[in-house]
Amino acid sequence: MMRRYRVEVVCTTDDPIDSLEYHIKTRESGFEIKMLPTWRPDKAMAVEVPADFRSYMEKLSEVSGVTISTYDDMIAALRKRHDFFAEQGCKLSDHGIEEFYAEDYTDAEIKAIFNKVYGGAELTKEEILKFKSAMLVVFGEMDWEKGWTQQFHYGAIRNNNSKMFKLLGPDTGFDSIGEFTTAKAMSKFLDRLNSKGKLTKTILYNLNPCANEVIATMLGNFQDGTVAGKIQFGSGWWFLDQKDGMEKQMNALSVLGLLSRFVGMLTDSRSFLSYPRHEYFRRTLCNLVGRDVENGEIPVSEMDRVNQMIEDISYNNAKNFFQF
């Protein structure tokens, strides 16, 4: 199936504690299609339930070989796993967050918060937000050091139906679009990294379509000319990866940003059958641009340039951006 759809590279989503054994086996088998990991460290900042966080720290300690009893120990363990992912060809991170976190904090506060939750104590809402804010910066700096691309999928309200959550667990179809006021926090987070000279290539994916214009205008604040389209507006995601959602995302980008630098579609699913989603995206893109040509909004005399733009969005931009 991968050969039929002419897949060249697949990037999976993997927790820092994952062994990546199948990535290694696939590479060693000589299979011509690359399967690369993507760093998804959400559980390392999930401090809402102290027992779950402590359990995760114990697993992280085991796989990293670092004894964890302090915040600095945890960061050292995560860095070892980050290095391991890089050795296996990882070039991207991905973060599933409700909203962006950009609270003010001090190193001493974060170390104290770690000690508190690691010891099994419940955190206040303020402490949770400060810890998440600090971890986002740490992860962003790690990615910048290796030249990775960081991705943020934000805006979902998960596990809404508590009855079905108890029966079936998470990620079973009871999630929805959330409504958050997150533009200032997003700006503050990106500015923190940028002011240190440590803002790496970034892709922002919103789930609420009302944020389309927010992201499309946020991109321009942090483009710096080092990489074409360094800050990206990610393709329509989850509830928005259908024709209407894709068109609204691309229209917002083309009106307020630069559509020609767009890295295109993300197959954000757990199924081999999802590869046609890229074809669905390409047809939607061609239809959208084709209508503008027919309506005289794009000159027919520029068709060579238009054709090149379609090819770039469908293939070349992603290949060059991620450096696979």
Side-chain angles (χ1 to χ4, degrees):
M1 291 178 66
M2 295 169 80
R3 287 174 178 135
R4 170 169 177 168
Y5 287 109
R6 299 171 67 183
V7 176
E8 293 183 16
V9 181
V10 173
C11 294
T12 60
T13 303
D14 307 280
D15 191 278
I17 67 172
D18 289 347
S19 67
L20 306 185
E21 59 184 296
Y22 296 106
H23 299 78
I24 296 170
K25 288 180 179 178
T26 299
R27 185 178 66 249
E28 291 177 346
S29 74
F31 187 49
E32 72 275 13
I33 298 171
K34 291 182 181 179
M35 184 169 76
L36 307 178
T38 297
W39 172 263
R40 181 73 174 257
D42 295 352
K43 291 182 180 179
M45 53 188 275
V47 289
E48 292 84 350
V49 181
D52 290 349
F53 182 74
R54 177 64 181 259
S55 175
Y56 183 77
M57 287 298 105
E58 290 171 355
K59 294 174 183 175
L60 176 62
S61 175
E62 182 180 351
V63 299
S64 66
V66 176
T67 301
I68 297 177
S69 58
T70 67
Y71 173 75
D72 289 339
D73 294 336
M74 180 190 72
I75 299 302
L78 287 168
R79 281 192 173 279
K80 284 195 70 173
R81 298 304 296 171
H82 201 266
D83 292 342
F84 172 68
F85 271 57
E87 291 167 3
Q88 305 310 318
C90 183
K91 293 181 181 292
L92 301 97
S93 69
D94 192 15
H95 308 264
I97 53 179
E98 273 197 353
E99 54 187 319
F100 278 85
Y101 310 108
E103 301 295 314
D104 293 325
Y105 60 86
T106 65
D107 290 342
E109 283 180 311
I110 300 306
K111 291 177 180 179
I113 291 169
F114 176 88
N115 291 340
K116 182 178 177 180
V117 69
Y118 190 73
E122 295 279 346
L123 300 179
T124 66
K125 182 178 180 181
E126 182 183 16
E127 289 172 330
I128 291 172
L129 293 177
K130 284 189 175 188
F131 193 83
K132 290 180 182 291
S133 299
M135 292 307 298
L136 282 186
V137 172
V138 168
F139 292 138
E141 290 177 345
M142 286 185 189
D143 292 350
W144 171 80
E145 289 166 6
K146 290 191 173 67
W148 289 4
T149 297
Q150 60 180 353
Q151 303 176 97
F152 296 94
H153 288 82
Y154 81 95
I157 298 181
R158 300 175 187 270
N159 309 315
N160 294 276
N161 188 324
S162 59
K163 179 180 178 181
M164 296 307 294
F165 177 76
K166 292 176 182 176
L167 183 66
L168 299 175
D171 304 321
T172 51
F174 300 94
D175 308 320
S176 62
I177 293 173
E179 189 175 34
F180 304 95
T181 304
T182 195
K184 284 188 176 180
M186 181 195 302
S187 173
K188 189 174 179 180
F189 163 69
L190 294 171
D191 190 57
R192 273 180 176 166
L193 292 172
N194 191 63
S195 63
K196 297 178 181 180
K198 294 183 177 181
L199 179 59
T200 193
K201 293 179 290 185
T202 302
I203 308 179
L204 305 169
Y205 303 87
N206 59 298
L207 193 56
N208 193 323
C210 74
N212 282 347
E213 284 74 18
V214 170
I215 292 183
T217 55
M218 188 68 68
L219 308 179
N221 296 327
F222 300 101
Q223 308 287 14
D224 60 13
T226 59
V227 177
K230 177 180 176 179
I231 314 299
Q232 287 275 330
F233 183 3
S235 59
W237 161 57
W238 200 344
F239 297 110
L240 306 181
D241 61 1
Q242 30 71 18
K243 183 174 181 287
D244 182 64
M246 291 177 188
E247 289 187 342
K248 286 178 178 176
Q249 183 268 344
M250 286 188 278
N251 275 326
L253 177 56
S254 66
V255 169
L256 299 169
L258 193 59
L259 182 64
S260 63
R261 293 299 189 186
F262 181 31
V263 295
M265 188 58 184
L266 172 80
T267 307
D268 185 37
S269 79
R270 298 167 176 83
S271 171
F272 276 99
L273 294 173
S274 67
Y275 294 123
R277 193 178 299 180
H278 285 270
E279 177 67 10
Y280 185 75
F281 166 82
R282 288 189 290 264
R283 288 171 181 262
T284 301
L285 169 64
C286 290
N287 192 52
L288 185 68
V289 175
R291 284 203 306 265
D292 287 348
V293 174
E294 287 186 342
N295 292 337
E297 296 176 44
I298 296 177
V300 176
S301 61
E302 296 295 324
M303 283 307 295
D304 286 347
R305 177 71 192 98
V306 172
N307 290 338
Q308 185 62 59
M309 182 178 73
I310 296 295
E311 289 183 17
D312 289 344
I313 295 171
S314 300
Y315 178 82
N316 296 320
N317 287 350
K319 187 170 185 177
N320 294 331
F321 191 78
F322 299 119
Q323 298 180 336
F324 291 137

